[in-house]
Amino acid sequence: KADARPPDLQDQLARMQPPPAPVNLGPPGVPPPGPGFAAGPPGPPTNQASMHVPPMPPNLSNEDQQKFQQIYGTTPQAAKAQREKFGLTGILEVVRMHDPHLNTLALGVDLTALGQMNFPDAFHLNAGIELPPSRREPDYNLPQSYFSSPPALKQSHVSKFSGETLFYMFYNMPKENHQALAAQELYKKGWKYQKAEKLWYLEHQPQVGEPRWYVWDPNTWERKDAR
């Protein structure tokens, strides 16, 4: 079912942008200025057909019809008002103070209209002055566990860690005491460190057959056969 409501005027005006009005070099019948004046060729006549004015949508209110006429200048009065909007005649609209939005934009806001401001706390006395930073400590309470230092890690603690935890300490704590403790425990468990490849190898000697070597892969984080 088609919508019987009239189309929105603002949507149509947004889609239909009129081209700029042609430049009028002078009144009709007057030849263009001679050499020495910066003037271009005479433009096309300023009529409704040359401006591609869309037809007025039906079922518009009187206010919407006036807006349409003011935007496209379909009447002589609207075309004249559009030409004089930004000239000396347009200042009369500001002086007469008919449009409250235009008055706020051009004249600003009257402070006396904001209410009673004669009391001393109306304005900040230090406004615009850079104040020194406050040296007062913030109000917060630290828990007692914040002040307690954790116990130092010992070799007896490291001996209880699994192999995966030891490899994590070795690869993620470089140049720390934890890395040295993890390396010592890995050597005790039979692992050999290869400096060139930076990998740990483990030799497994079965009861029957040749010995097998395993390597710990830090990329996949698992033990693999060294082949």
Side-chain angles (χ1 to χ4, degrees):
K1 184 178 178 180
D3 192 357
R5 294 177 300 177
D8 190 8
L9 177 61
Q10 300 298 332
D11 295 343
Q12 289 195 7
L13 299 182
R15 293 193 299 268
M16 302 176 183
Q17 296 294 336
V23 179
N24 187 10
L25 299 179
V30 178
F37 295 90
T46 58
N47 51 25
Q48 183 175 353
S50 62
M51 294 179 61
H52 304 284
V53 179
M56 181 181 297
N59 301 328
L60 292 181
S61 61
N62 296 333
E63 184 180 358
D64 293 339
Q65 292 180 5
Q66 294 179 1
K67 291 181 179 179
F68 185 90
Q69 295 173 359
Q70 292 176 1
I71 293 176
Y72 291 100
T74 55
T75 60
Q77 295 82 0
K80 181 179 179 181
Q82 188 175 11
R83 290 193 304 268
E84 298 178 350
K85 181 178 180 181
F86 301 100
L88 295 177
T89 311
I91 302 178
L92 295 177
E93 297 294 330
V94 182
V95 175
R96 293 170 183 172
M97 304 178 66
H98 294 322
D99 189 356
H101 303 287
L102 183 60
N103 298 335
T104 304
L105 179 63
L107 305 179
V109 179
D110 187 6
L111 295 180
T112 58
L114 299 179
Q116 181 67 20
M117 292 189 178
N118 295 328
F119 45 90
D121 296 336
F123 301 97
H124 201 284
L125 299 178
N126 296 328
I129 301 176
E130 184 177 358
L131 300 178
S134 177
R135 297 182 179 180
R136 181 175 177 271
E137 291 293 335
D139 297 332
Y140 58 85
N141 296 323
L142 293 177
Q144 294 298 328
S145 57
Y146 181 83
F147 299 98
S148 61
S149 58
L153 187 62
K154 299 180 181 180
Q155 188 66 33
S156 59
H157 300 157
V158 180
S159 60
K160 301 178 182 179
F161 294 162
S162 62
E164 185 176 358
T165 305
L166 296 175
F167 285 118
Y168 176 83
M169 295 171 56
F170 180 82
Y171 284 107
N172 293 277
M173 301 178 182
K175 299 181 180 180
E176 294 186 10
N177 187 30
H178 296 68
Q179 185 186 39
L181 294 176
Q184 292 178 7
E185 188 63 27
L186 288 173
Y187 275 113
K188 290 181 180 180
K189 295 181 180 293
W191 287 89
K192 309 293 183 183
Y193 185 68
Q194 219 284 338
K195 294 183 179 180
E197 300 178 359
K198 298 182 180 180
L199 297 175
W200 286 90
Y201 289 89
L202 176 65
E203 182 182 7
H204 177 66
Q205 181 66 44
Q207 296 180 357
V208 180
E210 299 180 355
R212 300 182 59 182
W213 285 89
Y214 298 96
V215 61
W216 180 264
D217 190 354
N219 297 323
T220 59
W221 208 251
E222 61 180 350
R223 189 179 72 172
K224 296 181 179 180
D225 292 336
R227 298 178 181 177

